[in-house]
Amino acid sequence: MTVTVSSHSSPAVQNPLAPPADSSVGKTRLQALSSAALLLPGLLLPALLPGIVSTAQAADAGADGVSLQFSQYKEGKRELVDAHSQLPALNVDVVHGSVNVHLQDRVRFTFGYTQDTWSGATPVTTAPLVTNPNRALLRNSATGVVVAGASPYVNNQLLLDAERRPLRVSPGVGGGTEIDTRAVQVLSSASPESRDQADFSLAYDWDEAALEGGTGISQENDYESVYGNLSLRLDFNQKLTSVTLGSGYTRSQASAILDPDLLPYLNRTAYQQDIKRQRGSEILQGDRRDWTAHADLTQVINRETLLNVGLGYTHSKGFLENPYKAMTVLFVDQAQLRPNGGANLPVNVPVTADMRVLLEQRPDQNRQLAFNSKLVRYVEGLDAALHLSYGYSHDDWSVSAHTLEVEWIQPLAGGWQIAPRLRYYSQSEADFYQTYLVSEQFYRRFDPDNPERLQVFDPGLLPEHFSSDHRLSGFGSLSAGLTLSKEITRGLVFESALEYYRRESDLALGGGGGSPYADFDFRIISAGLWLDLDAASLRAQRRALAMEGEHAQHQGMHAGHSTSTGVMFGHLLPNAGDFMLAYRHAFSRQVGSLLAGSHGVSDAEIVSQGCSALTQCRYVPTYMNMKMHMIELMYAPSPSLTLMLMPQFMDMDMNLRELVGRPAAVPGVHEHTGIGGHTSGGIGDTVIAGLFQLRETSSYSLHAGLGVSAPTGEVGLELRRMFRIDGGLMHFDMQTGSGTWDILPSLTYTGQGERWQWGAQLSGVLRLESRNESGYRLGNSAQVNSWTSYGWHSGVSATLRGVYTHRSAIHGDFNEFNAQIGPMDFPRNQGGRFVDLGVGLSYTIPAGRLAGNSLALEWLEPVHEDVNGFQLARHGAVNASWQFAF
């Protein structure tokens, strides 16, 4: 999000009721310059694009605040030349939140959390186009055989000329050959995978110095990183000069489940000692260490100009390979050059090459030196700032990179700000990068002198290091972006951004990067909110003084968490013009035995009855976890009407086991193989709602709610392909949305005494469409909530809640292929009747800089469940939330 800072000085203690400084009055050019210099346009995906807001950068801004953001990265279709791929392009959905608060005037704490979910097709290697490595895949379905997309097929033979260039054979009997040196990327599908990252830092500010230390962890199914950093900033020359020194250390561990779609063709003999085999999966393990150091100088040149220069050093050591990238090798058996031991063939006679793929092999260390610079120029006549950045880096792998970026930050009337930017990047290729390799030896053969002895290729005749990862090739790129922000009210800023990126081999400095087959594009869109807690608190206090009359008698009903944190649409905002920003997190878990109704069932019953009359079940879930992140923005245009906007981000994971007594595997039919479970996630459905006051007194309130759920989530997520056998659409519960427009009505009653508060709510979900784009619709649901809470002094309260939920089964069924491996793939095994009991605690900070911020936590325990069909038992749920009204 956009953050404005005027200096590095420690925050001064201010009178919270003092008149605010007008941003356009009494502001010197130096203050405006400093503010413009530290504007941080907020795109996400820091691994993909530079200049993106990190938690540490937000903390550097100094203001107490909360940032909540969604973003999406989406690639265009890869160019496969002679194959039509229906595989979805790579897509990444990201949710990010951070909080930066001063624990004392000089002590600052920062916490950040990021979750991203990746899905889609990615390149695993590069091969000669003449081998047609992206083969069309046929899937079995109840409606017949249909084309599903492209699948890697890289064990093949081809003809090479005397210079070892691929030859294309003309169709027909006796067809001739022609040289075709074109290459193509080989794609493999991937089901969604999620990554969670959490980091925090603690900083102490002196008058002319600051010390900050931080640590964090990043986790996904196949990779984990733990990192720490320390930095020292020294200010000189009345803070016109700053020097920052920093260092960091990261330890990473890879446990990569090798791609089952590529595994039948993949030679991994070089890593046999690093591969662990478990339940049909092969897991490549490796450790990595990264050490970093940097030094930066920031200098205010004059009242309009600021310059920043820096040097960085990174030393990486250990397992630096990408375990999902392979190298295509064309093996030419020298025996064919002398048929039957005779004279050599003429040089113009084509030779046959055996095409195979080997896991890439990179050096086990890399050292990089980087230089960066940034010039910021304040343009007084336009009240704008020009940012010019240049960076250069060089490493042990001979990769030299140049980055040039220009950005214009222009404030507009009405609290708007626009920031267009343009970025150019160019790099040279790594010294071990190759499109593919040609090796003058056989791959595998029987020994001519001992036909019972199998001979394999000699790894010593290959280069020591090799990779065809296009990110190590020479290329250039251009990207253009636009950030638009609006101050909604004092302290609350909305920001949206769009970035378009194009990678072109010919854009490399010097021309001709040599990898046009890898050219592609992507776009990033993001939206988020930044809440300045200091400014919002000041606004809230002023409004409280102004409203001391009309609503003072019942305003306490709306303070903090007067309802249980698990209840949606539980309260209105009391005054016209009020805002509230909240974050909600829900976690639920299903684990243990399968139920039929309210009773456990055996594997034999599930196999014979859990699926359908025509299909016996083969697998059953062992557990399923669901996480939901929701941003909640509320605004009251009047005391009797509150409007709400609630985007969601979903994340689910499920593990399976084979049923005892299941039917035997059928060739060509999808099987869940290995230890990897299913993961899915991404942007969920978005809710827009209005709450309407029906009756309100000093002791009770009655209001109605009407919401609309927009189908922004996915209903077409697919399982990962297993050994070229398609699994089709994921289970119903693993999709991130409903796929239909839905109505969410509610009626809520709340009451209060001196210490006690209580309430009840009737709510429901009504599906407005008969089916979604995947052929089904989720069932309607109705829910009854009742709760009571008791408040102690100092802002602490306890809640007790009872919940009854009735949800009907799914109507319709998938209209596309689904493997139907277990009960979770059949519509009748959805819904039921459920009773839960929840206990919770909430705390509203009563005073100080963070006064009015509320935190709440609730545990929801299943008491009774009567499920439709066969379903996994529920284990409980956690609801947590933060909210702040102003």
Side-chain angles (χ1 to χ4, degrees):
M1 302 306 301
T2 301
V3 182
T4 303
V5 194
S6 59
S7 74
H8 290 294
S9 62
S10 302
V13 178
Q14 299 179 358
N15 180 354
L17 300 183
D22 191 310
S23 59
S24 62
V25 177
K27 182 171 69 174
T28 68
R29 284 183 290 180
L30 179 57
Q31 290 174 323
L33 169 63
S34 300
S35 298
L38 294 172
L39 288 172
L40 303 174
L43 285 172
L44 290 176
L45 299 175
L48 298 169
L49 290 177
I52 290 168
V53 176
S54 66
T55 302
Q57 287 172 313
D60 285 343
D64 286 357
V66 176
S67 172
L68 299 170
Q69 301 175 344
F70 285 113
S71 70
Q72 183 182 71
Y73 165 97
K74 191 171 186 62
E75 287 187 0
K77 287 279 190 177
R78 299 276 178 161
E79 177 57 55
L80 302 183
V81 185
D82 62 345
H84 176 63
S85 174
Q86 294 179 352
L87 297 176
L90 182 63
N91 183 86
V92 187
D93 289 331
V94 183
V95 60
H96 171 78
S98 65
V99 57
N100 178 52
V101 294
H102 280 84
L103 304 180
Q104 297 178 358
D105 282 349
R106 295 182 179 270
V107 180
R108 173 168 36 87
F109 174 76
T110 302
F111 173 78
Y113 172 79
T114 301
Q115 180 179 302
D116 49 52
T117 301
W118 303 67
S119 63
T122 56
V124 293
T125 189
T126 306
L129 179 62
V130 298
T131 61
N132 187 24
N134 293 291
R135 299 293 178 90
L137 175 72
L138 300 181
R139 73 156 58 136
N140 294 318
S141 73
T143 59
V145 177
V146 296
V147 175
S151 182
Y153 186 77
V154 285
N155 282 6
N156 205 346
Q157 289 188 331
L158 70 158
L159 294 178
L160 304 177
D161 69 359
E163 298 181 26
R164 300 304 184 250
R165 294 174 296 187
L167 296 174
R168 180 175 294 276
V169 179
S170 301
V173 178
T177 61
E178 61 178 344
I179 298 171
D180 188 347
T181 59
R182 291 177 297 171
V184 66
Q185 291 184 315
V186 183
L187 299 186
S188 180
S189 67
S191 57
E193 298 178 3
S194 290
R195 181 184 69 93
D196 294 276
Q197 176 176 316
D199 58 82
F200 68 88
S201 67
L202 196 64
Y204 187 88
D205 294 321
W206 289 274
D207 289 340
E208 295 183 343
L211 180 66
E212 181 171 7
T215 186
I217 184 171
S218 174
Q219 283 187 320
E220 48 194 308
N221 288 337
D222 55 2
Y223 203 80
E224 178 178 292
S225 293
V226 179
Y227 50 91
N229 53 73
L230 186 67
S231 67
L232 173 66
R233 193 195 73 241
L234 302 173
D235 299 327
F236 306 96
N237 190 24
Q238 297 182 331
K239 297 189 177 181
L240 298 179
T241 305
S242 293
V243 175
T244 302
L245 304 174
S247 64
Y249 172 73
T250 301
R251 177 177 179 177
S252 304
Q253 293 180 307
S255 297
I257 302 174
L258 296 179
D259 183 0
D261 212 22
L262 186 65
L263 205 57
Y265 321 115
L266 184 64
N267 185 295
R268 49 240 187 241
T269 54
Y271 296 95
Q272 286 304 313
Q273 61 185 11
D274 302 312
I275 293 177
K276 180 176 70 173
R277 291 167 176 81
Q278 185 176 350
R279 288 171 49 194
S281 291
E282 296 193 17
I283 306 168
L284 178 57
Q285 299 177 316
D287 293 342
R288 170 176 177 159
R289 306 288 187 273
D290 295 272
W291 294 264
T292 62
H294 69 89
D296 295 275
L297 171 67
T298 301
Q299 177 66 53
V300 177
I301 306 297
N302 55 41
R303 302 191 340 163
E304 290 85 20
T305 310
L306 180 146
L307 177 66
N308 172 266
V309 294
L311 286 175
Y313 174 77
T314 302
H315 183 196
S316 303
K317 188 174 183 179
F319 185 78
L320 306 185
E321 286 82 359
N322 184 325
Y324 302 112
K325 301 297 183 183
M327 169 62 81
T328 298
V329 183
L330 309 182
F331 290 93
V332 179
D333 189 350
Q334 295 296 294
Q336 67 179 300
L337 304 181
R338 295 182 300 276
N340 301 318
N344 289 341
L345 290 173
V347 294
N348 61 346
V349 175
V351 296
T352 300
D354 193 7
M355 185 173 77
R356 302 286 173 163
V357 289
L358 285 65
L359 280 173
E360 69 168 21
Q361 298 177 37
R362 304 186 185 187
D364 61 4
Q365 70 172 345
N366 188 21
R367 287 166 294 192
Q368 183 192 71
L369 187 65
F371 166 79
N372 62 80
S373 61
K374 186 170 189 176
L375 179 69
V376 180
R377 178 76 177 179
Y378 174 63
V379 183
E380 184 176 14
L382 298 174
D383 190 29
L386 175 67
H387 290 210
L388 292 173
S389 302
Y390 171 74
Y392 172 78
S393 66
H394 181 78
D395 64 21
D396 287 349
W397 296 355
S398 300
V399 177
S400 296
H402 301 264
T403 304
L404 180 63
E405 183 171 0
V406 57
E407 182 175 26
W408 181 268
I409 299 176
Q410 179 65 65
L412 303 173
W416 289 91
Q417 179 177 282
I418 188 170
R421 59 190 172 275
L422 186 65
R423 176 177 177 265
Y424 170 74
Y425 175 83
S426 175
Q427 74 170 45
S428 60
E429 69 179 28
D431 51 19
F432 55 87
Y433 172 81
Q434 296 278 352
T435 305
Y436 51 82
L437 296 176
V438 177
S439 184
E440 303 289 338
Q441 62 172 321
F442 59 83
Y443 174 72
R444 183 188 293 126
R445 73 177 183 184
F446 288 103
D447 188 344
D449 300 326
N450 183 2
E452 295 183 359
R453 179 171 174 262
L454 186 65
Q455 296 178 317
V456 297
F457 71 96
D458 180 4
L461 298 179
L462 297 174
E464 182 180 5
H465 305 117
F466 48 81
S467 174
S468 64
D469 189 339
H470 68 88
R471 291 169 295 186
L472 296 175
S473 66
F475 68 91
S477 69
L478 277 174
S479 62
L482 182 68
T483 300
L484 186 66
S485 63
K486 172 71 168 75
E487 186 177 34
I488 300 173
T489 189
R490 180 171 295 277
L492 182 63
V493 176
F494 169 78
E495 182 176 277
S496 61
L498 172 66
E499 189 90 10
Y500 177 78
Y501 169 99
R502 178 66 190 176
R503 186 258 197 213
E504 291 280 0
S505 176
D506 292 339
L507 287 176
L509 286 176
S515 55
Y517 52 84
D519 292 344
F520 74 103
D521 61 0
F522 67 75
R523 58 106 176 120
I524 297 177
I525 57 174
S526 68
L529 293 167
W530 163 259
L531 178 65
D532 184 326
L533 289 173
D534 292 333
S537 296
L538 180 60
R539 180 183 190 274
Q541 292 178 56
R542 287 182 173 163
R543 289 183 58 78
L545 290 178
M547 297 290 180
E548 277 186 346
E550 184 178 356
H551 297 289
Q553 72 274 15
H554 61 266
Q555 191 168 344
M557 291 185 61
H558 305 284
H561 283 82
S562 60
T563 60
S564 171
T565 188
V567 176
M568 299 294 297
F569 314 123
H571 69 90
L572 287 82
L573 298 177
N575 304 308
D578 281 355
F579 283 86
M580 192 185 86
L581 181 63
Y583 164 76
R584 294 177 181 266
H585 176 73
F587 172 82
S588 63
R589 181 171 174 84
Q590 295 175 264
V591 66
S593 303
L594 243 68
L595 301 177
S598 301
H599 308 287
V601 290
S602 66
D603 279 13
E605 292 175 287
I606 300 170
V607 170
S608 61
Q609 305 172 33
C611 288
S612 71
L614 300 177
T615 304
Q616 290 187 312
C617 295
R618 292 171 282 148
Y619 293 88
V620 70
T622 58
Y623 69 80
M624 177 178 174
N625 298 322
M626 186 280 290
K627 291 185 287 185
M628 183 274 291
H629 306 271
M630 175 186 284
I631 296 174
E632 184 176 312
L633 179 63
M634 301 175 67
Y635 170 66
S638 73
S640 59
L641 173 63
T642 294
L643 303 178
M644 306 176 70
L645 175 65
M646 293 171 286
Q648 301 177 79
F649 190 97
M650 309 298 298
D651 174 45
M652 288 81 71
D653 67 282
M654 176 188 290
N655 212 337
L656 305 176
R657 68 171 178 87
E658 284 192 84
L659 287 163
V660 177
R662 55 150 288 176
V666 177
V669 175
H670 177 87
E671 290 285 331
H672 178 77
T673 304
I675 64 169
H678 301 326
T679 301
S680 68
I683 295 173
D685 291 345
T686 300
V687 175
I688 303 170
L691 304 182
F692 312 92
Q693 192 75 64
L694 302 178
R695 175 73 173 168
E696 183 176 28
T697 71
S698 60
S699 59
Y700 76 90
S701 171
L702 181 67
H703 69 266
L706 184 63
V708 176
S709 177
T712 51
E714 293 285 342
V715 292
L717 296 175
E718 296 188 352
L719 291 168
R720 186 171 193 148
R721 188 172 297 140
M722 292 290 184
F723 305 108
R724 302 193 76 231
I725 301 173
D726 198 19
L729 293 175
M730 272 191 167
H731 325 300
F732 294 107
D733 287 339
M734 299 292 285
Q735 305 294 334
T736 63
S738 68
T740 57
W741 288 88
D742 307 323
I743 291 292
L744 286 67
S746 64
L747 183 64
T748 306
Y749 167 85
T750 58
Q752 73 170 13
E754 183 178 353
R755 292 286 184 88
W756 289 94
Q757 295 182 353
W758 55 90
Q761 183 186 82
L762 175 63
S763 61
V765 179
L766 303 175
R767 314 293 175 183
L768 297 181
E769 300 175 81
S770 61
R771 63 187 60 194
N772 56 34
E773 63 184 33
S774 291
Y776 67 93
R777 74 161 174 85
L778 300 178
N780 295 327
S781 66
Q783 188 174 87
V784 178
N785 276 278
S786 62
W787 64 90
T788 184
S789 67
Y790 180 81
W792 288 278
H793 291 295
S794 71
V796 178
S797 62
T799 60
L800 180 67
R801 179 166 70 111
V803 190
Y804 172 77
T805 305
H806 180 280
R807 188 168 64 251
S808 61
I810 288 176
H811 294 250
D813 202 348
F814 288 122
N815 57 11
E816 296 184 29
F817 177 71
N818 168 264
Q820 297 187 330
I821 62 176
M824 57 282 183
D825 293 316
F826 292 85
R828 69 185 183 92
N829 298 321
Q830 297 285 330
R833 292 143 296 282
F834 310 95
V835 178
D836 301 276
L837 183 65
V839 293
L841 288 173
S842 66
Y843 175 62
T844 300
I845 300 175
R849 298 181 62 162
L850 301 178
N853 284 268
S854 295
L855 301 171
L857 183 68
E858 179 190 54
W859 170 259
L860 203 60
E861 178 71 21
V863 176
H864 174 76
E865 46 193 330
D866 180 14
V867 303
N868 297 331
F870 292 74
Q871 298 182 44
L872 194 60
R874 298 177 306 138
H875 188 64
V878 175
N879 295 303
S881 65
W882 161 84
Q883 68 180 43
F884 182 71
F886 55 99

